[in-house]
Amino acid sequence: MRVFLVDDHAILLEGIKSLLRQLPSMEIVGEAYSAEHALDSLQSKEIDLLITDFNLPGMDGLSLLRLVKKTSPQTKIIVLSMHDESHLVKDILKEGVDGYVLKNDSHKELLLAVQAVSEGKIYLSNDINRIIIDSLHAPEENKLLTEREREILKLIAKEFSNRQIAEHLYISERTVETHRKNIFRKTKASSLVGLIKFAYDNNLL
């Protein structure tokens, strides 16, 4: 299989390449540090498998996989992500990805995912399966926003900046921005005032 890799962390890219070299049937034909760079490169390459990080600078992994599936529906896609929120997991799975592995899963999980996908199977790591099962048992009122998104919403309501939220929760600003986008998308709010009103109306604050 011809494989293309997308991740903005050079060390992680090297780690994935080392793993894939254990599989003789895998040929790495390219790599990119952003979705935009990947799309440019893929215009001149034919690939069988795309392995992409979800959290990328600029265009995120979800937008990338949508575009790849639209222009090259036969391409298999495995998503790597730090995010374990059930809403995000479901959004990604709805796009028809072939594999989903959390970055904190073992290297063995990624190898198993690649092998399964190369055989035409769908692969979800054990942690992803657990998240999906747990979400089925969650009370309906808790399903709109994840616990982390509710934490961030409360800080947004206190007028914290992305940097302040990141420092308060010990996460990166980019992760805060991803959560913020998800919060606005899920609540269908178009402004901060609208978001706060929605939050109070739905007992989210």
Side-chain angles (χ1 to χ4, degrees), residues 38 40 57-58 70 88 97 100 102-103 122 131 136 173 177 193:
D40 286 342
K70 184 176 180 180
L88 192 52
V97 300
Y100 194 152
L102 291 178
K103 280 190 166 183
I122 302 294
I131 291 162
L136 296 176
E173 282 190 61
E177 183 59 34
V193 173

Side-chain angles (χ1 to χ4, degrees), residues 48-59:
D48 303 302
L49 173 62
L50 173 71
I51 300 177
T52 181
D53 185 8
F54 174 80
N55 205 19
L56 297 168
M59 183 190 297

Side-chain angles (χ1 to χ4, degrees), residues 86 90 126-138:
S86 60
K90 289 176 182 176
N126 287 333
D127 282 345
I128 294 297
N129 279 314
R130 176 186 53 75
I131 291 162
I132 293 171
I133 291 169
D134 288 348
S135 73
L136 296 176
H137 302 293

Side-chain angles (χ1 to χ4, degrees), residues 98-112:
D98 302 277
Y100 194 152
V101 178
L102 291 178
K103 280 190 166 183
N104 59 5
D105 284 330
S106 67
H107 289 167
K108 182 183 176 183
E109 286 271 25
L110 180 55
L111 283 178
L112 289 172

Side-chain angles (χ1 to χ4, degrees), residues 3 30 53 65 69 71 76 94 98 121 123 132 192 200:
V3 185
D53 185 8
L65 69 89
K69 280 292 185 183
T71 58
K76 305 290 187 184
K94 283 177 185 175
D98 302 277
K121 301 173 184 175
Y123 187 89
I132 293 171
L192 182 57
Y200 276 111

